[in-house]
Amino acid sequence: MLRPLLALALTGHSATATPHKPITLSSTGGFQTGGRTISAPFNPNLTLSCDHGYMEYFLPAHPRKTSLVMWHSSSTQVWQNTWSGGPGFKDLFLRRDYPVYLWDGPRVGRANWACEPTAYTPAYTDTSNFVAWNFGPRYKQWWDDVRFPTDDDAAWAQATSARYVEYDTRANVELHARAAATAADSGRAGRHIVYLTNSAGGLRAQLAAALASSTNIKGIVAYESIGYVYPDNINVTAGKGGFGPYVVPVEAFERLARVPGIQFVWGDHRAENYSFVAESRRVAGLINRLGGNARVVKLGEVGVRGATHIPFADLHNEDVADLLDGFLEDNGLDGYADGDEDDEGGEEEVE
């Protein structure tokens, strides 16, 4: 059940807001996962380890059993702070005692050792990103209720510069999904994993769940997912680019449908005829017909208004976090590690 939000106080949170309780950690660190080793064509004795993903982890002293793997489309920065510099989802959920993992997929961010040549060409996308990130209908025409500090030029500069190079191709979708599936199957991020994704990360997480051989992936919460996975028995034509549709064998789609809880979350300025909203409803229906548990949530319909494409970085991100709290509780994912004898939590899995 989606819990209603009552009497929401949609106020911004800045870096100097009322102090929160301290975050007490048992350990922090990071590790590589997935990838492969290749040999130089001119000398097989020379090798390169490449195409791995990278996890940075933060483990509370008294952890819950569920690990939140925060999967960006732009950069890990979007999980660390609000647009105004206030606490992001990383700190909000560490204070709730959830182990937090920040994920860099292969060839981006801190996992940028590629097994193939890559190239970067400046694309001058700040203007187009304004609309793509749902700040308003056209450049610098903000939605009246947008939860962004619209009069803060420094915040806009931070938003547009906190980016990694993205490779939105089918091959890259598969590369990221395989690395994430390997990470989930390894257990190093715990045995109860919820992928929190944004934008093009949503497609990659869906495919990772379809590829994973374990049952460690317990949930996917996809904020404004751009791209969807379909089974191969419903006459959907696979897309040629990096935003889907992505078609998998029906048995792989059934693995996605067995993930205990899935949410596709949209801001209130996304129309029902927006193509990816329509796709999210179709895929949720396909999952549910297989006995799964997928829902589409429009934030405006539950009292969270003015959301951008990255609602967990908005000035009301604590209200968005409250919705995630409800999802975790409703799916039995909010228990503590020491209360579940069958689970070791994230803490002992990381060396």
Side-chain angles (χ1 to χ4, degrees), residues 71 197-207 220 222 225-227 229 264:
W71 189 330
T197 72
N198 179 232
S199 196
L203 171 60
R204 289 159 169 78
Q206 293 168 59
L207 184 57
I220 298 173
S225 180
I226 305 301
V229 170
F264 300 120

Side-chain angles (χ1 to χ4, degrees), residues 99-128:
V100 169
Y101 292 75
L102 300 181
W103 168 249
D104 283 336
R107 303 187 183 179
V108 299
R110 294 165 293 180
N112 66 353
W113 283 98
C115 294
E116 299 174 354
T118 62
Y120 167 70
T121 302
Y124 309 101
T125 57
D126 287 355
T127 301
S128 60

Side-chain angles (χ1 to χ4, degrees), residues 99-169:
V100 169
Y101 292 75
L102 300 181
W103 168 249
D104 283 336
R107 303 187 183 179
V108 299
R110 294 165 293 180
N112 66 353
W113 283 98
C115 294
E116 299 174 354
T118 62
Y120 167 70
T121 302
Y124 309 101
T125 57
D126 287 355
T127 301
S128 60
N129 281 341
F130 185 92
V131 175
W133 293 349
N134 207 15
F135 293 141
R138 55 190 59 83
Y139 182 62
K140 286 301 179 79
Q141 292 188 21
W142 307 89
W143 299 120
D144 290 340
D145 58 357
V146 69
R147 304 305 294 174
F148 187 96
T150 58
D151 57 350
D152 187 343
D153 291 338
W156 173 247
Q158 286 289 308
T160 54
S161 61
R163 296 299 307 259
Y164 293 165
V165 176
E166 295 182 51
Y167 303 98
D168 290 316
T169 65

